[in-house]
Amino acid sequence: MHDLVIRGGTIVDGSGAEAAEGDVAIDGGTITSVGGKAGSGREEVDARGLVVTPGWVDIHTHYDGQVTWDPHLTPSGWHGVTTAVMGNCGVGFAPARPDRHDWLIGLMEGVEDIPGTALSEGIRWDWETFPQYLDALEKMPRSLDVATQVPHGAVRAYVMGDRGADNEIASADDIAQMAAIVADGVRAGALGFSTSRTRLHRAIDGREVPGTFANATEMMELGRAVKRGGYGVVEIASDLTPKQDEFAWMTALSRETGLPITYALVQNELQPGKWRELLDQTAQARAQGANITAQVGCRPVGMLLGLQSRVHPFVAHPSYMAIADKPLDERVRLMRDPALKARILAETTTITDRFRRRPMEQFDNMFALGDPPNYEPPPEQSIGRLAAAAGREPNEYVYELLLQRGGREFLYFPSLNYADRNFDALDTMLRHPNTVLSLSDGGAHCGIICDASAPTFLLTHWVKGRTRGPRLTLEQAVHLQTRRTAEVYGLRDRGLLKPGLKADVNVIDFDNMRLEPPVMAYDLPADGRRLLQRGSGYRATIVSGQVTWRDGEATGALPGRLVRGPQAA
């Protein structure tokens, strides 16, 4: 008798192969048979009319603090994620000198918009070194597997103190000390090393992430340290400017060490065609023997503008700022007063930075999100076009939208990956052989972005709902976030429904799967706020053979563990 049998489902095994009907049998946390008719099980899941897939492997999250207090890593746990990789973009909480805790929290708060008060209350700091951090993570029961990387920012600050935080040039001794920490971290079980080289990433004090301007010597030596530690990915968030210089050291490092290197690839409005150039550069590097892969998203990096979020078109208008700290219901009541409305509309934003002003006044790229949420709206549905059609000023039109649903309405401002006002660029990125699905940013951007639901969106939009361009097949979509992501990070024991592999499985009511509109919750430690988006359709999520979620509710089973290093099939 098997421990668990998933009976009669449509099996999409993660390889990209065509779906087939049959059973999946599990014993001792391992898949023992796929397809055909399995014997009876001590526990059975009726999957007739449902889709059976591997669990999702999300390789770009920022749960580095939340992982110390939340065994379910919501919202990713709600969306079928069975393995979450943290420590991305060069930010994290280890190594950490005792007098640097607040600084590391400020770094994470600034870069990833996670409330510092929540991190301060939630993290217990049972470590100083990176191996000790892994040991602390390993002690906590959880409902999904977690893995992490050694973050450059924390390492630089640990070794160099304020010199590292100020992005001063590292000496040979500094680099040697940092390399030793990176190698020790990989030996202890890190999946690799991450760094940020984009000027968009700044600490709460406005300084760029330590390592942003690290020279090629430092980057090469830290990459070599990953190799000395065993094996791991080098993950990079970079502006790739100038791209020739960045690709030069990335190519040299990968060719010398054999390590995979991944970088975040997005389309931006200022250089809407640069992503194609970067993919061409990636192909050239691979032709030269480098293992370089671009991490891409499946939807725009979309800011949610509203009276509950950090940003909306009036957030820096003086008359609004005077009431900004009042409770939401009171703000809505005051904003409905015609006199205050007239004052706010007559003012202009006090923000002078061009990038930060865009969500305040670019009405042709601002949309009502709706229910169900529409993340690929056509240009004619923009606030600018709708206001013009109604013969009204767009700022007045927005003002009234923000007051709907008691001030809980959200407007959608796609800041990246939507320069063409469609998903054509994303479609090319997702299908490209040198990319991997990523950038959900689970756990991060709590006050303005809500993309941790990306695994569900991939199915609901790209497979079921897209009307403005080609769709993916179900088999393609499942492959993109299971076997493909797992292989890039060396996790060859999962991401595929195959005998002998780890029994991480989703059972999905695909016909009735949907995404709900985002909501603002205040459920982090210290009543910290975060945007959340639930989905429906996950009948069961299974980790190591145990059902951890059933119909959107945690079962109490906590079979998840810390993944230390690459995993053999």
Side-chain angles (χ1 to χ4, degrees), residues 519-535:
V519 297
M520 186 66 76
Y522 296 82
D523 62 347
L524 290 174
D527 298 322
R529 70 175 177 177
R530 60 173 176 164
L531 283 161
L532 295 175
Q533 185 174 33
R534 277 190 175 269

mmCIF file of all heavy atoms in Angstrom, residues 519-535:
data_model
loop_
_atom_site.group_PDB
_atom_site.id
_atom_site.type_symbol
_atom_site.label_atom_id
_atom_site.label_comp_id
_atom_site.label_asym_id
_atom_site.label_seq_id
_atom_site.Cartn_x
_atom_site.Cartn_y
_atom_site.Cartn_z
ATOM 1 N N VAL A 519 -5.307 43.117 -1.883
ATOM 2 C CA VAL A 519 -5.827 43.834 -0.720
ATOM 3 C C VAL A 519 -4.657 44.240 0.156
ATOM 4 O O VAL A 519 -3.571 43.641 0.099
ATOM 5 C CB VAL A 519 -6.811 42.966 0.097
ATOM 6 C CG1 VAL A 519 -8.031 42.602 -0.730
ATOM 7 C CG2 VAL A 519 -6.131 41.708 0.624
ATOM 8 N N MET A 520 -4.865 45.263 0.954
ATOM 9 C CA MET A 520 -3.840 45.663 1.914
ATOM 10 C C MET A 520 -4.163 45.014 3.253
ATOM 11 O O MET A 520 -5.293 45.118 3.759
ATOM 12 C CB MET A 520 -3.797 47.182 2.062
ATOM 13 C CG MET A 520 -2.657 47.676 2.939
ATOM 14 S SD MET A 520 -1.004 47.356 2.227
ATOM 15 C CE MET A 520 -0.945 48.643 0.969
ATOM 16 N N ALA A 521 -3.177 44.327 3.815
ATOM 17 C CA ALA A 521 -3.341 43.674 5.114
ATOM 18 C C ALA A 521 -2.345 44.273 6.098
ATOM 19 O O ALA A 521 -1.324 44.861 5.708
ATOM 20 C CB ALA A 521 -3.124 42.173 4.983
ATOM 21 N N TYR A 522 -2.629 44.110 7.359
ATOM 22 C CA TYR A 522 -1.755 44.610 8.424
ATOM 23 C C TYR A 522 -1.428 43.446 9.353
ATOM 24 O O TYR A 522 -1.722 43.471 10.547
ATOM 25 C CB TYR A 522 -2.436 45.761 9.171
ATOM 26 C CG TYR A 522 -2.679 46.964 8.286
ATOM 27 C CD1 TYR A 522 -3.785 47.028 7.450
ATOM 28 C CD2 TYR A 522 -1.767 48.013 8.255
ATOM 29 C CE1 TYR A 522 -3.987 48.115 6.607
ATOM 30 C CE2 TYR A 522 -1.963 49.107 7.419
ATOM 31 C CZ TYR A 522 -3.073 49.150 6.604
ATOM 32 O OH TYR A 522 -3.268 50.229 5.755
ATOM 33 N N ASP A 523 -0.813 42.411 8.784
ATOM 34 C CA ASP A 523 -0.622 41.154 9.498
ATOM 35 C C ASP A 523 0.837 40.793 9.709
ATOM 36 O O ASP A 523 1.142 39.686 10.165
ATOM 37 C CB ASP A 523 -1.342 40.019 8.763
ATOM 38 C CG ASP A 523 -0.808 39.777 7.352
ATOM 39 O OD1 ASP A 523 -0.053 40.631 6.839
ATOM 40 O OD2 ASP A 523 -1.147 38.733 6.768
ATOM 41 N N LEU A 524 1.757 41.692 9.374
ATOM 42 C CA LEU A 524 3.153 41.442 9.690
ATOM 43 C C LEU A 524 3.408 41.777 11.156
ATOM 44 O O LEU A 524 2.580 42.424 11.804
ATOM 45 C CB LEU A 524 4.051 42.309 8.793
ATOM 46 C CG LEU A 524 4.103 41.946 7.305
ATOM 47 C CD1 LEU A 524 4.919 42.983 6.543
ATOM 48 C CD2 LEU A 524 4.678 40.552 7.092
ATOM 49 N N PRO A 525 4.533 41.332 11.730
ATOM 50 C CA PRO A 525 4.858 41.759 13.090
ATOM 51 C C PRO A 525 4.799 43.283 13.218
ATOM 52 O O PRO A 525 5.042 44.013 12.257
ATOM 53 C CB PRO A 525 6.285 41.239 13.277
ATOM 54 C CG PRO A 525 6.366 40.038 12.385
ATOM 55 C CD PRO A 525 5.533 40.396 11.179
ATOM 56 N N ALA A 526 4.445 43.751 14.400
ATOM 57 C CA ALA A 526 4.276 45.184 14.668
ATOM 58 C C ALA A 526 3.174 45.784 13.806
ATOM 59 O O ALA A 526 3.191 46.972 13.492
ATOM 60 C CB ALA A 526 5.592 45.950 14.484
ATOM 61 N N ASP A 527 2.209 44.944 13.403
ATOM 62 C CA ASP A 527 1.088 45.375 12.556
ATOM 63 C C ASP A 527 1.560 45.981 11.247
ATOM 64 O O ASP A 527 0.913 46.873 10.683
ATOM 65 C CB ASP A 527 0.189 46.370 13.305
ATOM 66 C CG ASP A 527 -0.453 45.759 14.538
ATOM 67 O OD1 ASP A 527 -0.836 44.573 14.462
ATOM 68 O OD2 ASP A 527 -0.561 46.448 15.565
ATOM 69 N N GLY A 528 2.671 45.477 10.752
ATOM 70 C CA GLY A 528 3.207 45.969 9.481
ATOM 71 C C GLY A 528 2.273 45.658 8.335
ATOM 72 O O GLY A 528 1.631 44.603 8.295
ATOM 73 N N ARG A 529 2.224 46.571 7.365
ATOM 74 C CA ARG A 529 1.298 46.394 6.251
ATOM 75 C C ARG A 529 1.987 45.707 5.079
ATOM 76 O O ARG A 529 3.191 45.827 4.889
ATOM 77 C CB ARG A 529 0.726 47.739 5.796
ATOM 78 C CG ARG A 529 1.730 48.649 5.104
ATOM 79 C CD ARG A 529 1.041 49.904 4.588
ATOM 80 N NE ARG A 529 2.022 50.803 3.976
ATOM 81 C CZ ARG A 529 1.707 51.948 3.389
ATOM 82 N NH1 ARG A 529 0.439 52.332 3.344
ATOM 83 N NH2 ARG A 529 2.637 52.711 2.857
ATOM 84 N N ARG A 530 1.180 45.020 4.306
ATOM 85 C CA ARG A 530 1.677 44.418 3.076
ATOM 86 C C ARG A 530 0.520 44.162 2.127
ATOM 87 O O ARG A 530 -0.607 43.891 2.556
ATOM 88 C CB ARG A 530 2.425 43.113 3.349
ATOM 89 C CG ARG A 530 1.602 42.028 4.024
ATOM 90 C CD ARG A 530 2.367 40.730 4.111
ATOM 91 N NE ARG A 530 1.641 39.700 4.843
ATOM 92 C CZ ARG A 530 1.949 38.404 4.801
ATOM 93 N NH1 ARG A 530 2.971 37.982 4.057
ATOM 94 N NH2 ARG A 530 1.260 37.514 5.492
ATOM 95 N N LEU A 531 0.801 44.266 0.844
ATOM 96 C CA LEU A 531 -0.168 43.930 -0.180
ATOM 97 C C LEU A 531 -0.205 42.416 -0.346
ATOM 98 O O LEU A 531 0.841 41.762 -0.418
ATOM 99 C CB LEU A 531 0.216 44.591 -1.499
ATOM 100 C CG LEU A 531 -0.101 46.085 -1.610
ATOM 101 C CD1 LEU A 531 0.722 46.704 -2.733
ATOM 102 C CD2 LEU A 531 -1.593 46.286 -1.856
ATOM 103 N N LEU A 532 -1.410 41.874 -0.425
ATOM 104 C CA LEU A 532 -1.595 40.439 -0.581
ATOM 105 C C LEU A 532 -2.574 40.172 -1.720
ATOM 106 O O LEU A 532 -3.482 40.965 -1.972
ATOM 107 C CB LEU A 532 -2.136 39.813 0.707
ATOM 108 C CG LEU A 532 -1.214 39.861 1.929
ATOM 109 C CD1 LEU A 532 -1.943 39.325 3.152
ATOM 110 C CD2 LEU A 532 0.061 39.069 1.689
ATOM 111 N N GLN A 533 -2.366 39.053 -2.386
ATOM 112 C CA GLN A 533 -3.280 38.639 -3.452
ATOM 113 C C GLN A 533 -3.460 37.131 -3.365
ATOM 114 O O GLN A 533 -2.507 36.381 -3.511
ATOM 115 C CB GLN A 533 -2.731 39.036 -4.820
ATOM 116 C CG GLN A 533 -3.685 38.752 -5.966
ATOM 117 C CD GLN A 533 -3.184 39.291 -7.289
ATOM 118 O OE1 GLN A 533 -1.978 39.330 -7.539
ATOM 119 N NE2 GLN A 533 -4.087 39.722 -8.151
ATOM 120 N N ARG A 534 -4.670 36.725 -3.133
ATOM 121 C CA ARG A 534 -4.973 35.293 -3.070
ATOM 122 C C ARG A 534 -5.400 34.780 -4.436
ATOM 123 O O ARG A 534 -5.788 35.548 -5.319
ATOM 124 C CB ARG A 534 -6.082 35.018 -2.053
ATOM 125 C CG ARG A 534 -5.595 34.916 -0.612
ATOM 126 C CD ARG A 534 -6.700 34.400 0.279
ATOM 127 N NE ARG A 534 -6.265 34.166 1.638
ATOM 128 C CZ ARG A 534 -5.792 33.012 2.098
ATOM 129 N NH1 ARG A 534 -5.682 31.982 1.277
ATOM 130 N NH2 ARG A 534 -5.435 32.873 3.365
ATOM 131 N N GLY A 535 -5.320 33.486 -4.586
ATOM 132 C CA GLY A 535 -5.828 32.819 -5.771
ATOM 133 C C GLY A 535 -6.660 31.630 -5.339
ATOM 134 O O GLY A 535 -6.532 31.131 -4.218
#
